Amino acid sequence: MRRLAAVNIAVKVLLVAFLGHGVLYPDLPQYQGKGMGWRLLLYPLTALLVPLVWRLRGRRPQPFPHHIDLVVALPFLLDTAGNTFDLFDSITWWDDFMHVLNWIPWVMVAGFIARYWPHLGRWSVFVISWGYGAITHILWEEAEYLAFVADNPN
């Protein structure tokens, strides 16, 4: 559990560091037209979502769900790292790869959460996970469109 907690904290630290790079060097080409303002606002809030919900639900006998917290934050770290290292613009297939890779943790989030309800069978957990992954992927695509495609003259 300590190793998982350490990885979870490292993901959060790297996310903040990569977002900080975007703040310090906003004129770099990899940040142009990428909706960095939205990312700077929403990505840290998303990384705080699980700790906030955990705190609001009160103290529980179970330990903090680092596995859920990690897979919630991981897609945002991967996306930010792709921009920081200019992978989206320098590798033609990177964006497609990230669209597949980033939703694996999101499907896992729903599965991990659904497992807290033992009355759900495996089939129900599977359907909930895939449905959640599909819906959040659609919402992500809509947010990307609104953030940096809708007003882009190119």
Side-chain angles (χ1 to χ4, degrees):
M1 186 60 154
R2 287 184 182 153
R3 190 173 302 168
L4 183 60
V7 170
N8 186 25
I9 292 167
V11 163
K12 303 289 177 55
V13 168
L14 285 171
L15 177 62
V16 170
F18 292 154
L19 288 171
H21 187 266
V23 170
L24 292 173
Y25 305 102
D27 296 330
L28 289 175
Q30 64 259 42
Y31 298 128
Q32 302 308 306
K34 301 291 173 72
M36 289 307 293
W38 287 110
R39 285 180 164 94
L40 289 170
L41 173 69
L42 297 175
Y43 286 15
L45 291 176
T46 304
L48 294 172
L49 183 65
V50 173
L52 179 64
V53 169
W54 187 253
R55 177 61 72 189
L56 291 175
R57 292 199 68 204
R59 299 192 185 275
R60 313 184 117 240
Q62 298 126 345
F64 181 80
H66 285 286
H67 60 299
I68 295 173
D69 196 26
L70 175 63
V71 295
V72 166
L74 195 56
F76 300 97
L77 171 67
L78 295 172
D79 181 71
T80 305
N83 281 312
T84 301
F85 295 110
D86 198 24
L87 300 175
F88 286 102
D89 294 330
S90 63
I91 301 173
T92 58
W93 50 265
W94 188 259
D95 188 56
D96 294 331
F97 174 66
M98 292 308 293
H99 280 275
V100 172
L101 181 65
N102 272 346
W103 294 106
I104 294 170
W106 273 105
V107 171
M108 292 171 66
V109 165
F112 286 155
I113 292 171
R115 289 180 54 204
Y116 279 92
W117 289 284
H119 65 280
L120 294 175
R122 287 184 183 198
W123 181 247
S124 296
V125 171
F126 173 79
V127 170
I128 289 168
S129 300
W130 279 101
Y132 174 82
I135 290 168
T136 55
H137 191 90
I138 291 166
L139 293 173
W140 180 277
E141 292 299 323
E142 289 175 351
E144 275 190 344
Y145 177 79
L146 293 173
F148 51 87
V149 175
D151 294 329
N152 189 334
N154 297 329

